[in-house]
Amino acid sequence: MRYLPRALPALGTLLCASLGACAGKPAAPAPSPAVANAPASAGATATVAPTTAPGTPTVSLPAAKKARVDQQLITRDVIRSTQYSNLYDVVLALRSTWLRVRPAESFQGQSPRIQVYLDNQRLAGGADELKQMSPTNIESVRYFDPITASSRWGMDHGAGALYVVTAKR
């Protein structure tokens, strides 16, 4: 609190300078066209240079945002861009955390296994079943975290689930 009185005059001066409305002070000059045509960095706003007469105001547009990539999904295009012979190697190379062995959740020391579903059918072998699947006819692979998988398919999904969709031919 003792630093607040010292900061108030500086804050007031800063506000007056930025607004240009204190005691008849002139407003700050407009940026030059060279500054207006400068490329925008990521997350900044892009400024469009005036096209009509000098002195007309510039228009600020938001910079283009980068599209988000769903980290819980591997699509057909990404799968086909790899050169692996089975789906297990594809998942291991692209999203290795999905196949990570988790610590035991019970007193008996049994660690949970990730469950694998192929077109709405649960596969008994778990992640080992992915080693027998060819990636050529796979449409997508989606990972469900343990909470979402348990609420969707039941309580024995402590390591999550992989939902594999094959291409319909």
Side-chain angles (χ1 to χ4, degrees):
M1 291 297 283
R2 66 178 193 198
Y3 297 108
L4 187 60
R6 281 191 222 162
L8 284 178
L11 183 61
T13 306
L14 179 66
L15 284 174
C16 287
S18 65
L19 295 176
C22 294
K25 291 183 182 177
S32 68
V35 174
N37 291 330
S41 62
T45 58
T47 305
V48 178
T51 57
T52 57
T56 52
T58 60
V59 178
S60 293
L61 301 173
K65 292 187 178 181
K66 191 175 183 181
R68 278 189 55 163
V69 176
D70 188 2
Q71 292 298 315
Q72 307 304 321
L73 180 70
I74 302 175
T75 61
R76 175 185 57 203
D77 298 330
V78 175
I79 292 171
R80 289 188 180 165
S81 69
T82 63
Q83 299 298 320
Y84 295 104
S85 61
N86 61 46
L87 193 57
Y88 184 86
D89 291 338
V90 171
V91 172
L92 188 63
L94 298 175
R95 309 281 197 285
S96 62
T97 58
W98 292 1
L99 301 174
R100 178 180 65 208
V101 177
R102 277 107 177 140
E105 290 184 350
S106 67
F107 292 114
Q108 295 144 352
Q110 298 172 350
S111 59
R113 294 185 328 163
I114 191 161
Q115 303 297 327
V116 177
Y117 288 85
L118 177 65
D119 293 329
N120 290 326
Q121 293 292 329
R122 184 174 175 175
L123 302 177
D128 292 333
E129 293 287 333
L130 297 175
K131 293 178 181 177
Q132 273 65 41
M133 291 183 199
S134 173
T136 57
N137 65 339
I138 302 298
E139 188 70 26
S140 66
V141 179
R142 179 172 289 280
Y143 173 74
F144 290 93
D145 62 275
I147 295 171
T148 307
S150 295
S151 66
R152 185 171 180 169
W153 290 295
M155 292 305 296
D156 58 342
H157 291 76
L162 290 177
Y163 188 76
V164 180
V165 178
T166 58
K168 309 290 187 241
R169 293 183 188 210

